[in-house]
Amino acid sequence: MPWTRDDMTARAARELKDGFYVNLGIGIPTLVANHIPPGVQVTLQSENGMLGMGPYPFEGEEDPDLVNAGKMTISELDASSYFNSAESFAMIRGGHIDLSVLGAMQVAANGDLANWMVPGKMVKGMGGAMDLVAGVKRVIVVMEHCEKTGRSKLVRQCTLPLTGKGVVDLLITDLGVFEINRGRSSVRLVELAPGVTLEEVRARTEADFVTDLA
Amino acid sequence: MATKIQSDAASALSGLLFDGMTVMAGGFGLCGIPENLILAIRESGVKDLTVVSNNCGVDGFGLGLLLENGQIRKMISSYVGENELFERLYIEGRLEVEFTPQGTLAERIRAGGAGIPAFYTRTGVGTVVAEGKETREFDGETYLMERALKADLSIVKAWKGDAEGNLIYRKTARNFNPMMATAGRVCVAEVEVLVGTGSLDKDMIHTPGVYVHRILKGPAYEKRIERLTTRPRTEKASA
Protein backbone atom coordinates (compact mmCIF):
# COMPACT_ATOMS: atom_id res chain seq x y z
CA MET A 1 0.00 0.00 0.00
CA PRO A 2 1.49 3.33 -0.98
CA TRP A 3 1.53 5.96 1.74
CA THR A 4 -1.46 8.23 2.27
CA ARG A 5 -1.02 12.00 2.72
CA ASP A 6 -1.15 11.42 6.44
CA ASP A 7 1.59 8.77 6.21
CA MET A 8 3.78 11.02 4.07
CA THR A 9 3.48 13.95 6.45
CA ALA A 10 4.08 11.64 9.44
CA ARG A 11 7.30 10.51 7.72
CA ALA A 12 8.26 14.16 7.12
CA ALA A 13 7.64 14.89 10.81
CA ARG A 14 10.34 12.33 11.70
CA GLU A 15 12.86 14.79 10.18
CA LEU A 16 12.01 17.34 12.89
CA LYS A 17 14.55 17.77 15.64
CA ASP A 18 14.00 19.19 19.08
CA GLY A 19 14.44 22.96 19.10
CA PHE A 20 13.96 23.40 15.35
CA TYR A 21 12.34 26.49 13.86
CA VAL A 22 10.18 25.15 11.04
CA ASN A 23 8.13 26.58 8.19
CA LEU A 24 5.39 24.38 6.75
CA GLY A 25 4.12 25.23 3.28
CA ILE A 26 0.43 25.55 2.54
CA GLY A 27 -1.58 22.46 1.60
CA ILE A 28 -0.34 18.95 2.46
CA PRO A 29 2.77 20.12 4.41
CA THR A 30 0.47 21.76 6.97
CA LEU A 31 -0.46 18.23 8.13
CA VAL A 32 3.11 17.71 9.41
CA ALA A 33 2.06 19.69 12.49
CA ASN A 34 -0.29 16.82 13.45
CA HIS A 35 2.59 14.33 13.65
CA ILE A 36 5.28 16.03 15.69
CA PRO A 37 7.00 13.16 17.57
CA PRO A 38 6.72 13.00 21.35
CA GLY A 39 9.59 14.71 23.12
CA VAL A 40 10.31 16.93 20.14
CA GLN A 41 9.45 20.57 20.51
CA VAL A 42 9.53 22.76 17.41
CA THR A 43 8.52 26.36 16.80
CA LEU A 44 6.41 26.86 13.68
CA GLN A 45 6.98 29.99 11.64
CA SER A 46 4.23 31.50 9.52
CA GLU A 47 5.77 33.71 6.86
CA ASN A 48 3.06 36.35 7.02
CA GLY A 49 4.59 37.32 10.37
CA MET A 50 4.40 34.95 13.31
CA LEU A 51 6.60 32.59 15.27
CA GLY A 52 5.01 30.01 17.54
CA MET A 53 1.92 29.12 15.54
CA GLY A 54 -0.73 27.45 17.65
CA PRO A 55 -3.49 25.03 16.61
CA TYR A 56 -6.77 26.03 14.99
CA PRO A 57 -8.82 28.06 17.49
CA PHE A 58 -11.82 26.60 19.29
CA GLU A 59 -15.11 27.28 17.53
CA GLY A 60 -16.19 30.82 18.33
CA GLU A 61 -12.68 31.97 19.26
CA GLU A 62 -11.47 32.61 15.71
CA ASP A 63 -9.81 36.00 15.23
CA PRO A 64 -9.70 37.59 11.75
CA ASP A 65 -6.43 39.31 12.73
CA LEU A 66 -4.76 35.95 13.37
CA VAL A 67 -4.20 33.79 10.29
CA ASN A 68 -1.42 31.59 8.93
CA ALA A 69 0.25 31.77 5.51
CA GLY A 70 -2.67 29.78 4.06
CA LYS A 71 -5.07 32.47 5.39
CA MET A 72 -6.54 29.95 7.83
CA THR A 73 -7.53 31.07 11.31
CA ILE A 74 -5.06 29.86 13.94
CA SER A 75 -4.30 30.52 17.61
CA GLU A 76 -1.33 31.86 19.53
CA LEU A 77 0.81 30.18 22.19
CA ASP A 78 2.55 31.61 25.25
CA ALA A 79 5.77 31.56 23.21
CA SER A 80 4.35 33.32 20.14
CA SER A 81 5.62 36.56 18.64
CA TYR A 82 4.41 38.75 15.77
CA PHE A 83 6.42 40.79 13.29
CA ASN A 84 6.10 42.41 9.87
CA SER A 85 6.65 40.57 6.59
CA ALA A 86 10.09 42.10 5.91
CA GLU A 87 11.30 40.87 9.30
CA SER A 88 9.70 37.51 8.61
CA PHE A 89 11.62 37.04 5.39
CA ALA A 90 14.83 38.39 6.90
CA MET A 91 14.46 35.43 9.25
CA ILE A 92 13.93 33.07 6.31
CA ARG A 93 16.51 34.50 3.90
CA GLY A 94 19.03 35.00 6.68
CA GLY A 95 19.21 31.28 7.40
CA HIS A 96 17.55 31.37 10.83
CA ILE A 97 14.89 28.78 9.97
CA ASP A 98 16.09 25.17 10.23
CA LEU A 99 13.64 23.32 8.03
CA SER A 100 10.94 23.90 5.47
CA VAL A 101 8.43 21.35 4.18
CA LEU A 102 6.89 22.22 0.81
CA GLY A 103 4.62 20.70 -1.80
CA ALA A 104 5.67 20.38 -5.44
CA MET A 105 4.51 19.84 -9.00
CA GLN A 106 7.94 18.57 -10.12
CA VAL A 107 11.27 17.77 -8.48
CA ALA A 108 14.31 17.11 -10.66
CA ALA A 109 17.26 14.80 -9.98
CA ASN A 110 19.51 17.82 -9.37
CA GLY A 111 17.21 19.20 -6.66
CA ASP A 112 15.40 21.73 -8.86
CA LEU A 113 11.89 22.46 -7.64
CA ALA A 114 8.81 23.62 -9.57
CA ASN A 115 5.69 24.40 -7.60
CA TRP A 116 4.22 27.74 -8.55
CA MET A 117 2.78 27.86 -12.04
CA VAL A 118 1.67 25.97 -15.13
CA PRO A 119 2.06 28.39 -18.06
CA GLY A 120 -1.27 29.27 -19.67
CA LYS A 121 -3.24 27.19 -17.19
CA MET A 122 -2.66 27.84 -13.54
CA VAL A 123 -1.39 31.14 -12.26
CA LYS A 124 -1.33 31.58 -8.54
CA GLY A 125 2.07 33.02 -7.83
CA MET A 126 5.05 31.81 -5.84
CA GLY A 127 4.09 33.41 -2.52
CA GLY A 128 7.01 32.84 -0.15
CA ALA A 129 8.22 29.58 -1.69
CA MET A 130 11.16 31.08 -3.63
CA ASP A 131 12.42 32.84 -0.50
CA LEU A 132 12.02 29.70 1.60
CA VAL A 133 14.05 27.50 -0.73
CA ALA A 134 16.71 30.19 -1.07
CA GLY A 135 17.18 30.71 2.65
CA VAL A 136 16.05 27.81 4.81
CA LYS A 137 18.81 25.39 5.83
CA ARG A 138 17.07 22.15 4.81
CA VAL A 139 14.19 21.72 2.35
CA ILE A 140 11.91 18.68 2.32
CA VAL A 141 9.33 18.16 -0.40
CA VAL A 142 6.21 16.08 0.16
CA MET A 143 4.24 15.23 -2.99
CA GLU A 144 2.37 12.48 -4.83
CA HIS A 145 4.88 10.48 -6.87
CA CYS A 146 2.88 10.82 -10.09
CA GLU A 147 0.35 13.15 -11.66
CA LYS A 148 -3.23 11.93 -12.04
CA THR A 149 -2.28 11.00 -15.62
CA GLY A 150 0.38 8.66 -14.22
CA ARG A 151 3.29 10.83 -15.30
CA SER A 152 6.24 10.88 -12.90
CA LYS A 153 6.79 14.08 -10.93
CA LEU A 154 10.35 13.08 -10.02
CA VAL A 155 11.90 14.06 -13.34
CA ARG A 156 15.28 14.29 -15.08
CA GLN A 157 14.71 17.98 -15.68
CA CYS A 158 11.81 20.21 -14.67
CA THR A 159 9.62 21.31 -17.57
CA LEU A 160 7.61 23.76 -15.43
CA PRO A 161 8.94 27.18 -14.34
CA LEU A 162 11.32 26.74 -11.41
CA THR A 163 10.82 27.86 -7.84
CA GLY A 164 14.47 27.25 -7.07
CA LYS A 165 17.55 25.65 -8.61
CA GLY A 166 19.18 22.77 -6.71
CA VAL A 167 17.25 23.39 -3.52
CA VAL A 168 15.61 20.10 -2.46
CA ASP A 169 17.36 17.89 0.13
CA LEU A 170 14.78 15.18 0.75
CA LEU A 171 11.74 14.03 -1.21
CA ILE A 172 8.90 12.07 0.36
CA THR A 173 6.28 10.64 -2.00
CA ASP A 174 3.54 8.07 -1.60
CA LEU A 175 6.04 5.43 -2.82
CA GLY A 176 9.07 6.19 -0.69
CA VAL A 177 11.81 8.52 0.49
CA PHE A 178 14.58 9.92 -1.74
CA GLU A 179 17.73 11.73 -0.70
CA ILE A 180 18.74 14.34 -3.20
CA ASN A 181 22.31 15.52 -3.49
CA ARG A 182 21.75 19.12 -4.49
CA GLY A 183 23.50 20.07 -7.69
CA ARG A 184 25.11 16.63 -8.22
CA SER A 185 22.11 15.06 -9.92
CA SER A 186 22.28 12.07 -7.67
CA VAL A 187 19.10 10.68 -6.20
CA ARG A 188 19.12 7.83 -3.69
CA LEU A 189 16.01 5.89 -2.77
CA VAL A 190 16.39 5.23 0.96
CA GLU A 191 12.98 3.95 2.00
CA LEU A 192 10.03 2.22 0.36
CA ALA A 193 6.45 2.62 1.51
CA PRO A 194 5.15 -0.69 2.88
CA GLY A 195 4.19 -3.11 0.11
CA VAL A 196 5.72 -0.95 -2.61
CA THR A 197 8.40 -2.73 -4.66
CA LEU A 198 11.57 -1.33 -6.12
CA GLU A 199 10.35 -2.40 -9.58
CA GLU A 200 7.18 -0.37 -9.11
CA VAL A 201 9.18 2.72 -8.15
CA ARG A 202 11.50 2.27 -11.15
CA ALA A 203 8.52 1.89 -13.47
CA ARG A 204 6.89 5.05 -12.15
CA THR A 205 9.97 7.29 -11.93
CA GLU A 206 11.39 9.31 -14.81
CA ALA A 207 14.59 10.36 -13.03
CA ASP A 208 17.47 7.94 -12.55
CA PHE A 209 18.17 6.97 -8.96
CA VAL A 210 20.41 4.59 -7.05
CA THR A 211 19.50 2.51 -4.04
CA ASP A 212 20.82 -0.10 -1.62
CA LEU A 213 17.30 -1.41 -1.13
CA ALA A 214 16.54 -4.79 -2.62
CA MET B 1 0.63 72.08 12.27
CA ALA B 2 -2.39 71.02 10.27
CA THR B 3 -4.21 68.06 11.72
CA LYS B 4 -3.64 64.64 10.19
CA ILE B 5 -7.07 63.44 11.32
CA GLN B 6 -9.65 63.03 8.55
CA SER B 7 -13.39 62.61 8.98
CA ASP B 8 -13.82 59.78 6.48
CA ALA B 9 -12.03 57.75 3.81
CA ALA B 10 -13.19 59.90 0.87
CA SER B 11 -11.88 63.13 2.38
CA ALA B 12 -8.70 61.35 3.47
CA LEU B 13 -8.01 60.60 -0.21
CA SER B 14 -9.09 63.99 -1.58
CA GLY B 15 -6.55 65.48 -3.96
CA LEU B 16 -4.38 62.36 -3.89
CA LEU B 17 -5.89 60.21 -6.63
CA PHE B 18 -5.10 60.36 -10.35
CA ASP B 19 -5.39 57.95 -13.27
CA GLY B 20 -2.28 55.87 -13.88
CA MET B 21 -0.97 56.22 -10.34
CA THR B 22 0.76 53.56 -8.24
CA VAL B 23 -0.96 52.55 -5.00
CA MET B 24 0.42 50.29 -2.28
CA ALA B 25 -2.22 48.52 -0.22
CA GLY B 26 -1.36 46.74 3.03
CA GLY B 27 -2.71 43.36 4.08
CA PHE B 28 -2.10 39.66 3.65
CA GLY B 29 -5.05 38.03 1.96
CA LEU B 30 -7.99 39.75 3.64
CA CYS B 31 -6.12 40.11 6.94
CA GLY B 32 -5.20 43.69 7.84
CA ILE B 33 -6.49 45.34 4.66
CA PRO B 34 -7.58 49.00 4.55
CA GLU B 35 -11.22 48.15 3.84
CA ASN B 36 -12.62 51.66 3.97
CA LEU B 37 -9.92 53.26 1.84
CA ILE B 38 -10.31 50.53 -0.81
CA LEU B 39 -14.06 51.27 -0.92
CA ALA B 40 -13.33 55.00 -1.29
CA ILE B 41 -10.94 54.31 -4.17
CA ARG B 42 -13.66 52.27 -5.84
CA GLU B 43 -16.15 55.12 -5.40
CA SER B 44 -13.66 57.63 -6.83
CA GLY B 45 -13.51 55.75 -10.14
CA VAL B 46 -9.76 56.42 -10.52
CA LYS B 47 -8.37 54.02 -13.12
CA ASP B 48 -5.28 52.51 -14.78
CA LEU B 49 -3.88 51.82 -11.34
CA THR B 50 -0.70 49.92 -10.64
CA VAL B 51 -1.39 48.24 -7.32
CA VAL B 52 1.36 46.85 -5.11
CA SER B 53 -0.12 44.35 -2.69
CA ASN B 54 0.82 40.82 -1.69
CA ASN B 55 -2.55 39.54 -2.91
CA CYS B 56 -5.50 40.98 -4.79
CA GLY B 57 -8.31 40.30 -2.34
CA VAL B 58 -11.00 37.80 -3.28
CA ASP B 59 -13.88 37.97 -5.70
CA GLY B 60 -16.19 40.64 -4.27
CA PHE B 61 -14.06 41.89 -1.38
CA GLY B 62 -10.90 43.85 -0.73
CA LEU B 63 -8.87 44.72 -3.82
CA GLY B 64 -11.09 42.29 -5.74
CA LEU B 65 -13.59 45.19 -5.81
CA LEU B 66 -11.19 47.41 -7.76
CA LEU B 67 -10.43 44.56 -10.13
CA GLU B 68 -14.13 43.98 -10.81
CA ASN B 69 -14.58 47.68 -11.40
CA GLY B 70 -11.85 47.66 -14.07
CA GLN B 71 -9.64 50.11 -12.18
CA ILE B 72 -6.45 48.04 -12.03
CA ARG B 73 -4.07 47.91 -14.98
CA LYS B 74 -1.18 46.16 -13.29
CA MET B 75 -0.58 44.22 -10.07
CA ILE B 76 2.72 43.66 -8.30
CA SER B 77 2.00 40.68 -6.05
CA SER B 78 3.35 37.37 -4.82
CA TYR B 79 0.19 35.26 -4.72
CA VAL B 80 -3.21 35.68 -6.33
CA GLY B 81 -4.63 32.18 -6.06
CA GLU B 82 -7.80 33.21 -4.25
CA ASN B 83 -9.26 35.24 -7.07
CA GLU B 84 -10.85 33.62 -10.12
CA LEU B 85 -11.46 36.90 -11.93
CA PHE B 86 -7.78 37.77 -11.51
CA GLU B 87 -6.62 34.50 -13.04
CA ARG B 88 -9.00 34.90 -15.96
CA LEU B 89 -8.02 38.52 -16.70
CA TYR B 90 -4.35 37.62 -16.50
CA ILE B 91 -4.56 34.57 -18.76
CA GLU B 92 -6.62 36.63 -21.25
CA GLY B 93 -3.88 39.27 -21.22
CA ARG B 94 -6.16 41.99 -19.84
CA LEU B 95 -4.23 42.46 -16.63
CA GLU B 96 -0.50 42.95 -16.30
CA VAL B 97 1.12 41.14 -13.38
CA GLU B 98 4.61 41.39 -11.97
CA PHE B 99 4.99 38.30 -9.81
CA THR B 100 7.47 39.00 -7.03
CA PRO B 101 8.49 36.51 -4.36
CA GLN B 102 6.87 37.46 -1.09
CA GLY B 103 10.09 38.18 0.77
CA THR B 104 11.52 40.09 -2.16
CA LEU B 105 8.29 42.11 -2.33
CA ALA B 106 8.49 42.97 1.37
CA GLU B 107 12.15 43.93 1.06
CA ARG B 108 11.63 45.99 -2.12
CA ILE B 109 9.01 48.03 -0.27
CA ARG B 110 11.17 48.33 2.84
CA ALA B 111 14.09 49.47 0.67
CA GLY B 112 11.85 51.98 -1.12
CA GLY B 113 10.93 53.60 2.17
CA ALA B 114 14.48 53.45 3.51
CA GLY B 115 16.23 55.21 0.63
CA ILE B 116 17.92 52.09 -0.70
CA PRO B 117 17.52 51.92 -4.50
CA ALA B 118 18.32 48.22 -4.93
CA PHE B 119 19.65 45.18 -3.10
CA TYR B 120 20.94 41.67 -3.79
CA THR B 121 19.14 38.48 -2.82
CA ARG B 122 19.50 34.74 -3.48
CA THR B 123 15.73 34.46 -3.89
CA GLY B 124 14.74 33.70 -7.49
CA VAL B 125 18.22 32.97 -8.87
CA GLY B 126 17.87 30.56 -11.81
CA THR B 127 14.11 31.21 -12.17
CA VAL B 128 11.99 33.45 -14.42
CA VAL B 129 12.13 36.06 -11.66
CA ALA B 130 15.81 36.57 -12.55
CA GLU B 131 15.17 37.26 -16.24
CA GLY B 132 16.63 40.59 -17.32
CA LYS B 133 18.08 41.29 -13.89
CA GLU B 134 21.70 41.83 -12.99
CA THR B 135 23.38 39.04 -11.03
CA ARG B 136 26.54 39.25 -9.01
CA GLU B 137 28.67 36.84 -7.08
CA PHE B 138 29.41 37.43 -3.40
CA ASP B 139 31.56 34.94 -1.49
CA GLY B 140 31.07 32.31 -4.17
CA GLU B 141 27.25 32.56 -4.29
CA THR B 142 25.14 34.11 -7.01
CA TYR B 143 22.73 36.87 -6.03
CA LEU B 144 20.11 38.77 -7.96
CA MET B 145 19.66 42.53 -7.96
CA GLU B 146 16.16 43.68 -7.09
CA ARG B 147 14.99 47.29 -7.32
CA ALA B 148 13.19 49.15 -4.55
CA LEU B 149 9.47 49.93 -4.85
CA LYS B 150 7.81 53.24 -4.11
CA ALA B 151 4.27 54.46 -4.66
CA ASP B 152 2.35 57.68 -5.20
CA LEU B 153 0.09 56.63 -2.35
CA SER B 154 0.15 53.93 0.29
CA ILE B 155 -2.98 52.91 2.15
CA VAL B 156 -2.52 50.95 5.36
CA LYS B 157 -4.65 49.53 8.16
CA ALA B 158 -3.64 49.55 11.82
CA TRP B 159 -5.39 48.63 15.03
CA LYS B 160 -4.72 51.80 17.01
CA GLY B 161 -3.46 55.19 16.01
CA ASP B 162 -3.20 58.72 17.37
CA ALA B 163 -3.33 62.27 16.03
CA GLU B 164 0.43 62.20 15.39
CA GLY B 165 -0.03 59.24 13.03
CA ASN B 166 1.67 56.76 15.36
CA LEU B 167 0.37 53.28 14.62
CA ILE B 168 0.09 49.95 16.41
CA TYR B 169 -0.95 46.84 14.51
CA ARG B 170 -2.59 43.73 15.88
CA LYS B 171 -1.30 40.14 15.52
CA THR B 172 -0.78 38.96 11.91
CA ALA B 173 -2.75 41.94 10.59
CA ARG B 174 0.60 43.76 10.69
CA ASN B 175 2.14 41.99 7.65
CA PHE B 176 3.02 44.44 4.85
CA ASN B 177 1.45 47.52 6.44
CA PRO B 178 4.53 48.93 8.26
CA MET B 179 6.80 48.84 5.18
CA MET B 180 4.12 50.25 2.93
CA ALA B 181 3.58 53.14 5.32
CA THR B 182 7.18 54.16 4.65
CA ALA B 183 7.19 53.76 0.86
CA GLY B 184 4.31 55.93 -0.26
CA ARG B 185 4.90 59.56 -1.26
CA VAL B 186 1.76 60.04 0.82
CA CYS B 187 0.55 57.49 3.36
CA VAL B 188 -3.06 57.36 4.51
CA ALA B 189 -3.76 55.11 7.49
CA GLU B 190 -7.10 53.84 8.72
CA VAL B 191 -7.47 52.53 12.25
CA GLU B 192 -10.06 50.79 14.37
CA VAL B 193 -9.31 52.90 17.40
CA LEU B 194 -8.16 56.51 17.25
CA VAL B 195 -6.81 57.65 20.60
CA GLY B 196 -5.63 60.94 22.04
CA THR B 197 -1.98 61.88 21.78
CA GLY B 198 -0.07 60.36 24.66
CA SER B 199 -2.30 57.37 25.26
CA LEU B 200 -0.30 54.87 23.17
CA ASP B 201 2.63 53.18 24.88
CA LYS B 202 5.57 54.93 23.22
CA ASP B 203 7.73 51.82 23.38
CA MET B 204 5.11 49.76 21.56
CA ILE B 205 4.60 51.95 18.48
CA HIS B 206 5.23 49.98 15.28
CA THR B 207 4.99 52.86 12.77
CA PRO B 208 6.17 56.27 13.99
CA GLY B 209 3.96 59.16 12.87
CA VAL B 210 6.54 60.68 10.53
CA TYR B 211 5.50 58.20 7.84
CA VAL B 212 1.75 58.82 8.14
CA HIS B 213 0.31 61.94 6.52
CA ARG B 214 -3.40 61.40 7.04
CA ILE B 215 -5.30 59.18 9.46
CA LEU B 216 -8.92 58.23 9.91
CA LYS B 217 -11.00 55.98 12.10
CA GLY B 218 -12.85 53.49 9.91
CA PRO B 219 -16.61 53.63 10.55
CA ALA B 220 -16.91 49.83 10.42
CA TYR B 221 -14.79 46.75 9.74
CA GLU B 222 -16.15 43.59 8.19
CA LYS B 223 -12.80 41.79 8.66
CA ARG B 224 -13.92 38.92 6.50
CA ILE B 225 -12.21 35.61 7.28
CA GLU B 226 -10.83 33.92 4.18
CA ARG B 227 -10.53 30.36 5.55
CA LEU B 228 -12.34 29.68 8.77
CA THR B 229 -10.62 26.76 10.49
CA THR B 230 -11.49 25.72 14.04
CA ARG B 231 -11.28 22.67 16.28
CA PRO B 232 -14.18 21.32 18.29
CA ARG B 233 -14.19 22.07 22.01
CA THR B 234 -14.44 18.38 22.83
CA GLU B 235 -11.04 17.66 21.36
CA LYS B 236 -8.28 17.17 23.88
CA ALA B 237 -5.98 20.16 24.09
CA SER B 238 -2.84 19.48 22.07
CA ALA B 239 0.59 19.69 23.62
Side-chain angles (χ1 to χ4, degrees):
Chain A
M1 272 277 289
W3 278 326
T4 62
R5 287 178 170 195
D6 231 27
D7 297 330
M8 293 191 295
T9 48
R11 177 60 190 81
R14 280 169 46 203
E15 300 295 318
L16 302 174
K17 293 198 172 73
D18 195 40
F20 263 19
Y21 290 88
V22 178
N23 183 294
L24 302 176
I26 58 178
I28 304 176
T30 314
L31 299 173
V32 172
N34 300 336
H35 300 284
I36 298 169
V40 172
Q41 208 166 11
V42 299
T43 304
L44 299 179
Q45 200 245 18
S46 189
E47 66 264 28
N48 49 323
M50 182 186 196
L51 267 175
M53 227 198 310
Y56 297 144
F58 289 121
E59 287 166 24
E61 288 181 9
E62 61 274 7
D63 181 344
D65 289 338
L66 182 44
V67 301
N68 65 13
K71 286 103 179 177
M72 300 157 118
T73 48
I74 48 165
S75 62
E76 63 182 20
L77 306 169
D78 284 346
S80 301
S81 58
Y82 300 108
F83 32 84
N84 69 51
S85 300
E87 173 91 51
S88 181
F89 282 94
M91 220 172 265
I92 289 167
R93 215 186 293 106
H96 306 279
I97 304 297
D98 299 292
L99 181 76
S100 181
V101 183
L102 296 170
M105 298 176 194
Q106 288 179 333
V107 171
N110 61 358
D112 287 0
L113 169 68
N115 74 353
W116 74 281
M117 86 177 281
V118 181
K121 280 191 188 154
M122 191 281 287
V123 190
K124 293 188 186 303
M126 68 291 279
M130 285 192 182
D131 308 277
L132 284 162
V133 299
V136 172
K137 289 177 199 158
R138 185 168 152 81
V139 174
I140 298 177
V141 166
V142 175
M143 68 175 192
E144 304 290 337
H145 200 89
C146 296
E147 292 169 25
K148 288 197 182 84
T149 59
R151 199 173 152 201
S152 172
K153 291 167 71 178
L154 174 52
V155 293
R156 287 192 186 94
Q157 206 163 25
C158 291
T159 51
L160 295 171
L162 295 185
T163 306
K165 241 184 139 33
V167 295
V168 179
D169 296 295
L170 193 75
L171 170 66
I172 300 169
T173 77
D174 46 327
L175 301 186
V177 181
F178 301 84
E179 281 176 4
I180 294 181
N181 202 330
R182 290 189 194 199
R184 285 188 50 200
S185 286
S186 103
V187 178
R188 179 176 292 271
L189 172 68
V190 292
E191 242 176 277
L192 285 167
V196 173
T197 64
L198 183 55
E199 291 64 40
E200 187 183 351
V201 178
R202 287 213 189 279
R204 294 178 64 190
T205 306
E206 184 199 294
D208 296 323
F209 62 87
V210 296
T211 186
D212 297 326
L213 303 175
Chain B
M1 194 171 79
T3 180
K4 293 183 178 182
I5 298 177
Q6 309 290 317
S7 54
D8 56 59
S11 46
L13 294 175
S14 97
L16 300 179
L17 303 178
F18 58 94
D19 292 349
M21 71 186 299
T22 298
V23 179
M24 281 182 185
F28 178 84
L30 300 180
C31 181
I33 60 171
E35 294 181 20
N36 293 287
L37 289 163
I38 290 170
L39 282 172
I41 289 178
R42 189 187 60 170
E43 293 311 307
S44 80
V46 65
K47 58 183 196 294
D48 291 329
L49 299 175
T50 294
V51 176
V52 181
S53 189
N54 189 57
N55 317 89
C56 194
V58 296
D59 295 308
F61 194 61
L63 291 173
L65 295 171
L66 304 188
L67 202 61
E68 281 170 18
N69 209 22
Q71 291 172 274
I72 302 179
R73 185 182 64 80
K74 178 181 177 181
M75 284 296 303
I76 302 179
S77 301
S78 87
Y79 189 82
V80 295
E82 318 303 338
N83 199 316
E84 280 176 38
L85 176 64
F86 188 110
E87 199 163 358
R88 201 172 71 234
L89 291 176
Y90 174 65
I91 287 174
E92 290 170 2
R94 289 157 64 196
L95 176 70
E96 199 182 328
V97 183
E98 182 179 332
F99 278 114
T100 302
Q102 197 174 331
T104 296
L105 181 63
E107 193 64 15
R108 289 178 72 191
I109 298 164
R110 195 196 72 79
I116 294 169
F119 59 92
Y120 287 93
T121 176
R122 270 202 307 273
T123 303
V125 171
T127 76
V128 293
V129 167
E131 282 172 11
K133 290 175 187 162
E134 178 189 325
T135 55
R136 192 169 159 181
E137 214 168 278
F138 294 95
D139 305 322
E141 279 240 44
T142 304
Y143 292 77
L144 186 63
M145 190 177 81
E146 291 281 3
R147 296 293 309 271
L149 278 172
K150 288 194 209 179
D152 298 304
L153 168 71
S154 62
I155 54 174
V156 303
K157 155 77 191 352
W159 177 38
K160 289 181 177 178
D162 68 13
E164 302 299 311
N166 294 312
L167 302 177
I168 294 177
Y169 308 91
R170 188 170 173 274
K171 302 184 189 281
T172 57
R174 192 182 318 182
N175 55 65
F176 284 81
N177 285 295
M179 289 80 73
M180 287 188 175
T182 71
R185 193 177 55 78
V186 179
C187 170
V188 180
E190 61 172 89
V191 297
E192 289 174 57
V193 186
L194 189 59
V195 301
T197 302
S199 22
L200 295 177
D201 181 341
K202 295 158 187 62
D203 259 335
M204 295 296 148
I205 288 166
H206 298 129
T207 293
V210 65
Y211 299 114
V212 177
H213 303 90
R214 299 181 184 182
I215 188 167
L216 72 137
K217 180 184 178 304
Y221 285 94
E222 179 179 339
K223 289 204 195 180
R224 195 183 290 184
I225 289 175
E226 212 161 317
R227 296 228 170 105
L228 177 63
T229 42
T230 57
R231 65 193 147 128
R233 283 183 185 278
T234 48
E235 187 188 296
K236 269 191 295 179
S238 71

